Amino acid sequence: MWQSLLIDLGITLVKKYINSSESKKDDKVLELVQTGANYLANKPNNTVSTNTAVSLKNESMRKIQG
């Protein structure tokens, strides 16, 4: 029960963070996407492929001059 509530809270917080103009930690968002894709690729109940997970794992943030 607590696990489900914590997961729901975490998802809500991450979505709010992504949608806010204050988000500066894009590398953390990418890390979350990579971890999630890797997790899902190993599960039979979705269509995320291992190729997608590997492709995302090889992505990285670019340095942008500000």
Side-chain angles (χ1 to χ4, degrees), residues 9-23:
L9 177 61
I11 290 169
T12 300
L13 290 173
V14 169
K15 285 180 178 179
K16 286 184 184 275
Y17 174 77
I18 289 170
N19 291 325
S20 77
S21 61
E22 299 297 316
S23 61

Side-chain angles (χ1 to χ4, degrees), residues 35-46:
T35 301
N38 188 53
Y39 169 81
L40 290 173
N42 293 308
K43 301 291 181 179
N45 63 347
N46 65 81

Side-chain angles (χ1 to χ4, degrees), residues 17-61:
Y17 174 77
I18 289 170
N19 291 325
S20 77
S21 61
E22 299 297 316
S23 61
K24 303 287 186 212
K25 297 281 188 180
D26 291 346
D27 57 326
K28 294 299 181 185
V29 175
L30 177 59
E31 182 182 340
L32 183 61
V33 169
Q34 291 167 326
T35 301
N38 188 53
Y39 169 81
L40 290 173
N42 293 308
K43 301 291 181 179
N45 63 347
N46 65 81
T47 61
V48 177
S49 70
T50 304
N51 289 340
T52 299
V54 169
S55 178
L56 284 168
K57 185 159 181 68
N58 292 326
E59 300 297 332
S60 62
M61 300 303 298

